[in-house]
Amino acid sequence: MSLFIDGRTSQNASTANSIAIPILVIDTPQLFGQIGLNAFDATGIPRVIMTGTMSVQLPLALVGITITVVRGTLPTDPIVYSATTTFNLSVLAPQVITFTAADYNPPVTPLLVYTAFVSSNLLGTIRVGPENFNGILIADE
């Protein structure tokens, strides 16, 4: 049986086109969400399940967008999820990217921190919203 331990949401932008944050350096991760899950009461085998949404406006070129989730606060911390989506030249409207990630049996500390980053391989990509990052911690007893 699984027991709910904690759940958090990082909401950077709630609606479409509510922000305009350019990605200024190619292939350099930009933070768009961070959660800290209270694991103080976790017993058994813990699992963290994360979901997220982020939207970008693309330049008129072939572009790859990478979403990376790490256990920690820095892009160099242990990666628990990474995916790259490539959009073609015909895409003009903002693109919504959604993802689901999981971290099975992470080392239990009083606070488990997860950070979501986005990067682009082309200048001119703009983060436009919405952006959110959610996570829950459950434990199997």
Side-chain angles (χ1 to χ4, degrees), residues 3 5 19 23 32 39 48 56 70 80 89 98 116:
L3 177 66
I5 306 296
I19 59 174
I23 295 179
F32 76 89
V48 177
V56 292
V70 301
V80 296
L89 298 173
T98 61

Side-chain angles (χ1 to χ4, degrees), residues 26-116:
I26 295 173
D27 294 327
T28 299
Q30 283 187 354
L31 184 147
F32 76 89
Q34 189 171 70
I35 54 174
L37 298 167
N38 180 351
F40 187 74
D41 295 328
T43 59
I45 299 172
R47 283 182 291 157
V48 177
I49 301 166
M50 295 155 281
T51 61
T53 300
M54 79 99 46
S55 298
V56 292
Q57 178 69 51
L58 307 172
L60 293 175
L62 187 65
V63 64
I65 303 295
T66 300
I67 303 294
T68 305
V69 176
V70 301
R71 186 185 321 115
T73 59
L74 302 172
T76 54
D77 284 335
I79 296 173
V80 296
Y81 174 85
S82 181
T84 299
T85 301
T86 301
F87 297 96
N88 66 33
L89 298 173
S90 65
V91 175
L92 297 177
Q95 297 302 301
V96 178
I97 302 166
T98 61
F99 63 93
T100 301
D103 193 11
Y104 182 78
N105 202 13
V108 177
T109 58
L111 185 68
L112 285 170
V113 177
Y114 292 88
T115 306

Side-chain angles (χ1 to χ4, degrees), residues 19-25 30 123-128:
I19 59 174
I21 301 171
I23 295 179
L24 298 174
V25 182
Q30 283 187 354
L123 290 179
T125 303
I126 300 172
R127 297 166 43 202
V128 295

